[in-house]
Amino acid sequence: MKKQNNLFFLIGGLLVVILIFFFVFLNPNKINSVSSDQFEQLISSEEVYVINAHTPYIGEIEGTDLNAYNWENMDSYLDQLPEDKSTPIAIYCRSGRMSTISAHQLLELGYTNIYDLDGGMNTWQSSGRNLVQNVEETGEIKEFDIVANNWDFSPNKIEVNLGDQVILNIESVEGAHGIALYDFEINEFINQGDQITIEFIANKQGTFSFYCNVPCGHGHSSMNGLFIVN
Ligand SMILES: [Cu+2]
């Protein structure tokens, strides 16, 4: 009787160990958190489908296949995602928070081979790697006439869509001023009576500040405005 008990516990124990091993080490339904080095290695393979789950758009890792602006509803991308659910998927966002949520949704959709960049684009960049700006242009031109005087811009709120071509005609009718919109590498001076034209592509989403970059008097510090890219 005692011997049988021992055997029973031995077999039972062995089964438990095998089950734990299977779920912890072999369970395919988990998300693999990877470093920037591992991520770079992964996405160098053509076979790997790469997803940016960060919004608003701040740029992307070269080789990205899908910018998932709708990162909370990955099922909305089923027609673009690989048909073969065992295709390796490499996913990232800015910090790792959004991509982990999206990755879990991919698991629920049946994908079995998911790699999540730990620390996201922040870690990618701090490891000395770059992002690329790869915005699809809308082909639309959004032109604004802006008047600079002492001490404001009029209008001081400009709104465009991601991918629009933006033209700013800025005239200084009173005093010497300038305009700085550093997020788009704009930094120009405007003498009194002059008009300048600035053209660029709105290649990132968000709300950005522009302001006068010339010390122009006591109202200078409040001479600013907002540039909004939807
Ligand atoms: Cu100023």
PDB file of all heavy atoms in Angstrom, residues 63-82:
ATOM      1  N   GLY A  63      11.289  50.178 -41.465  1.00  0.00           N
ATOM      2  CA  GLY A  63      10.857  48.808 -41.719  1.00  0.00           C
ATOM      3  C   GLY A  63       9.470  48.514 -41.172  1.00  0.00           C
ATOM      4  O   GLY A  63       8.994  47.382 -41.266  1.00  0.00           O
ATOM      5  N   THR A  64       8.824  49.554 -40.616  1.00  0.00           N
ATOM      6  CA  THR A  64       7.481  49.375 -40.064  1.00  0.00           C
ATOM      7  C   THR A  64       6.488  49.086 -41.189  1.00  0.00           C
ATOM      8  O   THR A  64       6.478  49.767 -42.214  1.00  0.00           O
ATOM      9  CB  THR A  64       7.061  50.646 -39.293  1.00  0.00           C
ATOM     10  OG1 THR A  64       7.961  50.809 -38.195  1.00  0.00           O
ATOM     11  CG2 THR A  64       5.645  50.546 -38.769  1.00  0.00           C
ATOM     12  N   ASP A  65       5.648  48.059 -40.988  1.00  0.00           N
ATOM     13  CA  ASP A  65       4.655  47.695 -41.993  1.00  0.00           C
ATOM     14  C   ASP A  65       3.315  48.376 -41.758  1.00  0.00           C
ATOM     15  O   ASP A  65       2.551  48.603 -42.686  1.00  0.00           O
ATOM     16  CB  ASP A  65       4.442  46.167 -41.981  1.00  0.00           C
ATOM     17  CG  ASP A  65       5.699  45.432 -42.416  1.00  0.00           C
ATOM     18  OD1 ASP A  65       6.089  45.597 -43.577  1.00  0.00           O
ATOM     19  OD2 ASP A  65       6.291  44.717 -41.580  1.00  0.00           O
ATOM     20  N   LEU A  66       3.014  48.652 -40.486  1.00  0.00           N
ATOM     21  CA  LEU A  66       1.687  49.198 -40.168  1.00  0.00           C
ATOM     22  C   LEU A  66       1.802  50.226 -39.055  1.00  0.00           C
ATOM     23  O   LEU A  66       2.392  49.955 -38.006  1.00  0.00           O
ATOM     24  CB  LEU A  66       0.754  48.058 -39.720  1.00  0.00           C
ATOM     25  CG  LEU A  66      -0.623  48.457 -39.182  1.00  0.00           C
ATOM     26  CD1 LEU A  66      -1.502  49.031 -40.289  1.00  0.00           C
ATOM     27  CD2 LEU A  66      -1.321  47.264 -38.523  1.00  0.00           C
ATOM     28  N   ASN A  67       1.235  51.421 -39.287  1.00  0.00           N
ATOM     29  CA  ASN A  67       1.074  52.397 -38.222  1.00  0.00           C
ATOM     30  C   ASN A  67      -0.351  52.255 -37.708  1.00  0.00           C
ATOM     31  O   ASN A  67      -1.300  52.655 -38.367  1.00  0.00           O
ATOM     32  CB  ASN A  67       1.333  53.815 -38.748  1.00  0.00           C
ATOM     33  CG  ASN A  67       2.822  54.102 -38.843  1.00  0.00           C
ATOM     34  OD1 ASN A  67       3.528  54.106 -37.850  1.00  0.00           O
ATOM     35  ND2 ASN A  67       3.296  54.305 -40.064  1.00  0.00           N
ATOM     36  N   ALA A  68      -0.481  51.666 -36.535  1.00  0.00           N
ATOM     37  CA  ALA A  68      -1.804  51.344 -35.993  1.00  0.00           C
ATOM     38  C   ALA A  68      -2.290  52.496 -35.112  1.00  0.00           C
ATOM     39  O   ALA A  68      -2.171  52.452 -33.897  1.00  0.00           O
ATOM     40  CB  ALA A  68      -1.741  50.040 -35.208  1.00  0.00           C
ATOM     41  N   TYR A  69      -2.823  53.536 -35.775  1.00  0.00           N
ATOM     42  CA  TYR A  69      -3.336  54.680 -35.013  1.00  0.00           C
ATOM     43  C   TYR A  69      -4.458  54.222 -34.086  1.00  0.00           C
ATOM     44  O   TYR A  69      -4.688  54.770 -33.027  1.00  0.00           O
ATOM     45  CB  TYR A  69      -3.864  55.772 -35.960  1.00  0.00           C
ATOM     46  CG  TYR A  69      -2.791  56.320 -36.859  1.00  0.00           C
ATOM     47  CD1 TYR A  69      -2.824  56.116 -38.232  1.00  0.00           C
ATOM     48  CD2 TYR A  69      -1.721  57.034 -36.317  1.00  0.00           C
ATOM     49  CE1 TYR A  69      -1.819  56.605 -39.050  1.00  0.00           C
ATOM     50  CE2 TYR A  69      -0.714  57.531 -37.118  1.00  0.00           C
ATOM     51  CZ  TYR A  69      -0.774  57.313 -38.494  1.00  0.00           C
ATOM     52  OH  TYR A  69       0.223  57.794 -39.296  1.00  0.00           O
ATOM     53  N   ASN A  70      -5.187  53.202 -34.535  1.00  0.00           N
ATOM     54  CA  ASN A  70      -6.299  52.666 -33.756  1.00  0.00           C
ATOM     55  C   ASN A  70      -5.795  51.480 -32.920  1.00  0.00           C
ATOM     56  O   ASN A  70      -6.322  50.379 -32.967  1.00  0.00           O
ATOM     57  CB  ASN A  70      -7.402  52.231 -34.732  1.00  0.00           C
ATOM     58  CG  ASN A  70      -8.747  52.086 -34.064  1.00  0.00           C
ATOM     59  OD1 ASN A  70      -8.904  52.389 -32.880  1.00  0.00           O
ATOM     60  ND2 ASN A  70      -9.708  51.604 -34.812  1.00  0.00           N
ATOM     61  N   TRP A  71      -4.764  51.748 -32.132  1.00  0.00           N
ATOM     62  CA  TRP A  71      -4.038  50.698 -31.409  1.00  0.00           C
ATOM     63  C   TRP A  71      -4.891  49.969 -30.371  1.00  0.00           C
ATOM     64  O   TRP A  71      -4.532  48.882 -29.936  1.00  0.00           O
ATOM     65  CB  TRP A  71      -2.790  51.287 -30.743  1.00  0.00           C
ATOM     66  CG  TRP A  71      -3.119  52.384 -29.769  1.00  0.00           C
ATOM     67  CD1 TRP A  71      -3.393  53.683 -30.089  1.00  0.00           C
ATOM     68  CD2 TRP A  71      -3.269  52.277 -28.363  1.00  0.00           C
ATOM     69  NE1 TRP A  71      -3.686  54.389 -28.959  1.00  0.00           N
ATOM     70  CE2 TRP A  71      -3.611  53.552 -27.876  1.00  0.00           C
ATOM     71  CE3 TRP A  71      -3.120  51.228 -27.449  1.00  0.00           C
ATOM     72  CZ2 TRP A  71      -3.839  53.811 -26.528  1.00  0.00           C
ATOM     73  CZ3 TRP A  71      -3.337  51.494 -26.102  1.00  0.00           C
ATOM     74  CH2 TRP A  71      -3.691  52.765 -25.646  1.00  0.00           C
ATOM     75  N   GLU A  72      -5.999  50.602 -29.953  1.00  0.00           N
ATOM     76  CA  GLU A  72      -6.855  49.949 -28.956  1.00  0.00           C
ATOM     77  C   GLU A  72      -7.850  48.992 -29.596  1.00  0.00           C
ATOM     78  O   GLU A  72      -8.590  48.312 -28.896  1.00  0.00           O
ATOM     79  CB  GLU A  72      -7.617  51.005 -28.143  1.00  0.00           C
ATOM     80  CG  GLU A  72      -6.728  51.746 -27.164  1.00  0.00           C
ATOM     81  CD  GLU A  72      -7.473  52.856 -26.448  1.00  0.00           C
ATOM     82  OE1 GLU A  72      -7.824  53.847 -27.114  1.00  0.00           O
ATOM     83  OE2 GLU A  72      -7.723  52.720 -25.250  1.00  0.00           O
ATOM     84  N   ASN A  73      -7.889  48.998 -30.930  1.00  0.00           N
ATOM     85  CA  ASN A  73      -8.811  48.110 -31.649  1.00  0.00           C
ATOM     86  C   ASN A  73      -8.055  47.416 -32.772  1.00  0.00           C
ATOM     87  O   ASN A  73      -8.267  47.698 -33.951  1.00  0.00           O
ATOM     88  CB  ASN A  73      -9.983  48.913 -32.232  1.00  0.00           C
ATOM     89  CG  ASN A  73     -10.801  49.571 -31.157  1.00  0.00           C
ATOM     90  OD1 ASN A  73     -11.477  48.913 -30.371  1.00  0.00           O
ATOM     91  ND2 ASN A  73     -10.707  50.888 -31.088  1.00  0.00           N
ATOM     92  N   MET A  74      -7.177  46.505 -32.385  1.00  0.00           N
ATOM     93  CA  MET A  74      -6.346  45.857 -33.394  1.00  0.00           C
ATOM     94  C   MET A  74      -7.174  45.026 -34.377  1.00  0.00           C
ATOM     95  O   MET A  74      -6.732  44.772 -35.493  1.00  0.00           O
ATOM     96  CB  MET A  74      -5.270  44.994 -32.739  1.00  0.00           C
ATOM     97  CG  MET A  74      -4.199  45.787 -31.991  1.00  0.00           C
ATOM     98  SD  MET A  74      -3.399  47.072 -32.986  1.00  0.00           S
ATOM     99  CE  MET A  74      -2.429  46.076 -34.097  1.00  0.00           C
ATOM    100  N   ASP A  75      -8.371  44.640 -33.971  1.00  0.00           N
ATOM    101  CA  ASP A  75      -9.215  43.866 -34.893  1.00  0.00           C
ATOM    102  C   ASP A  75      -9.604  44.686 -36.120  1.00  0.00           C
ATOM    103  O   ASP A  75      -9.953  44.125 -37.159  1.00  0.00           O
ATOM    104  CB  ASP A  75     -10.453  43.307 -34.180  1.00  0.00           C
ATOM    105  CG  ASP A  75     -11.257  44.384 -33.462  1.00  0.00           C
ATOM    106  OD1 ASP A  75     -10.711  45.484 -33.242  1.00  0.00           O
ATOM    107  OD2 ASP A  75     -12.424  44.118 -33.146  1.00  0.00           O
ATOM    108  N   SER A  76      -9.509  46.023 -36.019  1.00  0.00           N
ATOM    109  CA  SER A  76      -9.846  46.850 -37.179  1.00  0.00           C
ATOM    110  C   SER A  76      -8.779  46.733 -38.274  1.00  0.00           C
ATOM    111  O   SER A  76      -8.954  47.264 -39.367  1.00  0.00           O
ATOM    112  CB  SER A  76     -10.032  48.313 -36.757  1.00  0.00           C
ATOM    113  OG  SER A  76      -8.819  48.842 -36.254  1.00  0.00           O
ATOM    114  N   TYR A  77      -7.669  46.072 -37.966  1.00  0.00           N
ATOM    115  CA  TYR A  77      -6.599  45.920 -38.962  1.00  0.00           C
ATOM    116  C   TYR A  77      -6.500  44.506 -39.529  1.00  0.00           C
ATOM    117  O   TYR A  77      -5.517  44.179 -40.202  1.00  0.00           O
ATOM    118  CB  TYR A  77      -5.251  46.300 -38.337  1.00  0.00           C
ATOM    119  CG  TYR A  77      -5.179  47.759 -37.939  1.00  0.00           C
ATOM    120  CD1 TYR A  77      -5.269  48.123 -36.604  1.00  0.00           C
ATOM    121  CD2 TYR A  77      -5.044  48.758 -38.893  1.00  0.00           C
ATOM    122  CE1 TYR A  77      -5.214  49.459 -36.221  1.00  0.00           C
ATOM    123  CE2 TYR A  77      -4.995  50.091 -38.524  1.00  0.00           C
ATOM    124  CZ  TYR A  77      -5.082  50.430 -37.191  1.00  0.00           C
ATOM    125  OH  TYR A  77      -5.028  51.750 -36.830  1.00  0.00           O
ATOM    126  N   LEU A  78      -7.506  43.684 -39.252  1.00  0.00           N
ATOM    127  CA  LEU A  78      -7.425  42.276 -39.661  1.00  0.00           C
ATOM    128  C   LEU A  78      -7.173  42.101 -41.154  1.00  0.00           C
ATOM    129  O   LEU A  78      -6.497  41.160 -41.567  1.00  0.00           O
ATOM    130  CB  LEU A  78      -8.700  41.527 -39.254  1.00  0.00           C
ATOM    131  CG  LEU A  78      -8.636  40.889 -37.857  1.00  0.00           C
ATOM    132  CD1 LEU A  78      -9.964  40.252 -37.493  1.00  0.00           C
ATOM    133  CD2 LEU A  78      -7.499  39.872 -37.764  1.00  0.00           C
ATOM    134  N   ASP A  79      -7.684  43.022 -41.975  1.00  0.00           N
ATOM    135  CA  ASP A  79      -7.468  42.888 -43.421  1.00  0.00           C
ATOM    136  C   ASP A  79      -6.039  43.249 -43.830  1.00  0.00           C
ATOM    137  O   ASP A  79      -5.613  42.944 -44.942  1.00  0.00           O
ATOM    138  CB  ASP A  79      -8.497  43.728 -44.207  1.00  0.00           C
ATOM    139  CG  ASP A  79      -8.482  45.184 -43.803  1.00  0.00           C
ATOM    140  OD1 ASP A  79      -8.012  45.490 -42.682  1.00  0.00           O
ATOM    141  OD2 ASP A  79      -8.925  46.028 -44.601  1.00  0.00           O
ATOM    142  N   GLN A  80      -5.295  43.908 -42.934  1.00  0.00           N
ATOM    143  CA  GLN A  80      -3.907  44.256 -43.255  1.00  0.00           C
ATOM    144  C   GLN A  80      -2.909  43.335 -42.563  1.00  0.00           C
ATOM    145  O   GLN A  80      -1.781  43.166 -43.034  1.00  0.00           O
ATOM    146  CB  GLN A  80      -3.619  45.703 -42.816  1.00  0.00           C
ATOM    147  CG  GLN A  80      -4.390  46.725 -43.636  1.00  0.00           C
ATOM    148  CD  GLN A  80      -4.328  48.113 -43.014  1.00  0.00           C
ATOM    149  OE1 GLN A  80      -3.281  48.758 -43.020  1.00  0.00           O
ATOM    150  NE2 GLN A  80      -5.439  48.577 -42.467  1.00  0.00           N
ATOM    151  N   LEU A  81      -3.297  42.776 -41.424  1.00  0.00           N
ATOM    152  CA  LEU A  81      -2.395  41.894 -40.667  1.00  0.00           C
ATOM    153  C   LEU A  81      -2.161  40.601 -41.439  1.00  0.00           C
ATOM    154  O   LEU A  81      -2.994  40.211 -42.271  1.00  0.00           O
ATOM    155  CB  LEU A  81      -3.020  41.591 -39.300  1.00  0.00           C
ATOM    156  CG  LEU A  81      -3.094  42.778 -38.325  1.00  0.00           C
ATOM    157  CD1 LEU A  81      -4.008  42.462 -37.150  1.00  0.00           C
ATOM    158  CD2 LEU A  81      -1.706  43.145 -37.836  1.00  0.00           C
ATOM    159  N   PRO A  82      -1.044  39.929 -41.173  1.00  0.00           N
ATOM    160  CA  PRO A  82      -0.757  38.673 -41.891  1.00  0.00           C
ATOM    161  C   PRO A  82      -1.876  37.651 -41.687  1.00  0.00           C
ATOM    162  O   PRO A  82      -2.422  37.543 -40.586  1.00  0.00           O
ATOM    163  CB  PRO A  82       0.537  38.174 -41.240  1.00  0.00           C
ATOM    164  CG  PRO A  82       1.128  39.351 -40.566  1.00  0.00           C
ATOM    165  CD  PRO A  82       0.007  40.260 -40.197  1.00  0.00           C
TER     166      PRO A  82
END
